């Protein structure tokens, strides 16, 4: 049932010779809209990001990373990055065939696509390079390479920790393999990663650490160093080794 106001409004439109529908959407804009929807649909058949299933429960990394932090991090922060980058892919008609190609073109896409694409991908990797505590060690190839590059495993760990501590504000620490197969440690700001053409630090990521405050603040507050020291107990060396060997 139309109320009196709607009835009067329709009556006025009829009197003016226009239908209610044409006021809402002129035929020209309806056509433009449907063309746009169609092209977005076509491009949407290409690559988009998805959120990996968490390979363990929210509580599995306790006591080093608490369940509440994990749940908020995965269901709020990470899922928002995935949703937002896929929105950007549609609205900007981005048509890349995979994440590597997407990041190699980071200089050509919007801040929304770059930031959320990085957020989507980096966290998918982050969940996979962790596992419940103390159940793996670097494989022989990787272990030898770490010693060769950094002098010892302890030196590697110290340098990576320094990269994570030294990242001002929000960002990530990384261990990467460069194009010559050498291992390098570095960090990136915000949600950038070493696959991005805009990144000063480039390479194939083997290990990553999220040093955004949302990754540790509930349990560790401002003590980033305590979070990093605890996080070392969670590194999934099987996963890092298989990334190094591939
Ligand atoms: Mn995060």
């Amino acid at each position: 049932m139309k109320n009196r106001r709607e009835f009067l409004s329709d009556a006025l439109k009829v009197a003016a010779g226009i239908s209610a529908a044409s006021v809402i959407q002129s035929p020209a804009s309806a056509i433009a809209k449907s063309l746009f929807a169609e092209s977005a649909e076509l491009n949407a058949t290409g690559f988009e990001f998805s959120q990996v299933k968490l390979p363990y429960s929210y509580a599995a990394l306790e006591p080093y990373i608490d369940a509440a932090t994990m749940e908020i991090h995965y269901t709020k922060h990470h899922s928002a990055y995935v949703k937002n980058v896929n929105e950007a892919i549609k609205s900007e008609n981005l048509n890349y065939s995979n994440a590597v190609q997407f990041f190699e073109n980071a200089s050509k896409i919007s801040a929304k696509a770059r930031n959320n694409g990085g957020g989507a991908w980096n966290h998918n990797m982050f969940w996979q390079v962790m596992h419940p505590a103390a159940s793996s060690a670097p494989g022989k190839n990787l272990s030898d390479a770490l010693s060769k590059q950094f002098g010892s495993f302890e030196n590697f760990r110290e340098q990576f920790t320094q990269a994570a501590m030294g990242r001002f504000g929000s960002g990530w620490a990384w261990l990467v393999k460069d194009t010559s197969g050498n291992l390098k440690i570095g960090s990136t700001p915000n949600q950038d990663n070493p696959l991005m053409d805009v990144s000063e630090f480039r390479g194939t990521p083997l290990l990553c650490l999220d040093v955004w405050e949302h990754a540790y603040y509930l349990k560790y507050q401002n003590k980033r160093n305590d979070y990093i020291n605890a996080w070392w107990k969670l590194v999934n060396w099987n996963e890092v080794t298989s990334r190094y060997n591939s």
Side-chain angles (χ1 to χ4, degrees), residues 6-242:
E6 283 166 343
F7 178 82
L8 283 175
S9 157
D10 284 355
L12 283 171
K13 285 171 201 152
V14 169
I18 49 177
S19 74
S22 71
V23 171
I24 292 162
Q25 198 171 68
S26 72
S29 81
I31 290 164
K33 230 177 194 169
S34 101
L35 281 176
F36 178 77
E38 198 177 343
S39 68
E41 190 78 355
L42 285 175
N43 284 336
T45 59
F47 167 77
E48 39 171 68
F49 287 85
S50 55
Q51 187 175 26
V52 297
K53 192 175 180 306
L54 202 63
Y56 34 72
S57 71
Y58 297 131
L61 307 183
E62 296 259 12
Y64 308 107
I65 299 180
D66 59 289
T69 295
M70 283 301 295
E71 181 166 4
I72 296 167
H73 204 171
Y74 181 81
T75 65
K76 307 289 185 210
H77 296 279
H78 188 201
S79 69
Y81 296 130
V82 174
K83 177 177 164 283
N84 291 336
V85 69
N86 288 336
E87 255 174 44
I89 284 172
K90 282 205 176 73
S91 69
E92 294 167 37
N93 277 335
L94 303 181
N95 201 6
Y96 300 114
S97 49
N98 55 50
V100 170
Q101 200 186 65
F102 180 94
F103 293 130
E104 277 170 355
N105 288 282
S107 58
K108 304 188 187 97
I109 62 182
S110 70
K112 178 177 178 176
R114 167 180 166 179
N115 292 335
N116 289 285
W121 192 91
N122 298 351
H123 288 86
N124 278 343
M125 175 168 172
F126 187 48
W127 311 137
Q128 289 169 328
V129 296
M130 294 190 289
H131 66 178
S135 39
S136 65
K140 180 151 190 351
N141 288 349
L142 176 58
S143 173
D144 290 349
L146 287 169
S147 296
K148 184 172 163 243
Q149 194 75 43
F150 304 107
S152 67
F153 182 81
E154 275 315 303
N155 285 350
F156 151 71
R157 193 183 132 133
E158 181 54 31
Q159 282 185 42
F160 189 98
T161 299
Q162 286 312 313
M165 285 302 294
R167 169 46 54 192
F168 183 77
S170 299
W172 293 76
W174 303 90
L175 172 69
V176 303
K177 184 161 73 170
D178 71 12
T179 46
S180 322
N182 295 318
L183 295 174
K184 291 194 308 188
I185 289 167
S187 72
T188 54
N190 306 315
Q191 293 294 355
D192 284 359
N193 68 44
L195 296 172
M196 292 183 179
D197 66 347
V198 290
S199 180
E200 284 172 25
F201 181 70
R202 302 287 308 274
T204 303
L206 307 178
L207 175 63
C208 62
L209 170 58
D210 188 345
V211 293
W212 281 58
E213 284 184 346
H214 68 223
Y216 62 89
Y217 209 83
L218 281 184
K219 185 175 170 73
Y220 296 97
Q221 295 82 49
N222 61 321
K223 298 184 285 288
R224 186 188 282 187
N225 198 40
D226 290 357
Y227 158 67
I228 297 168
N229 282 334
W231 171 81
W232 281 112
K233 299 193 169 62
L234 302 173
V235 174
N236 181 347
W237 286 109
N238 300 330
E239 175 67 24
V240 180
T241 301
S242 86

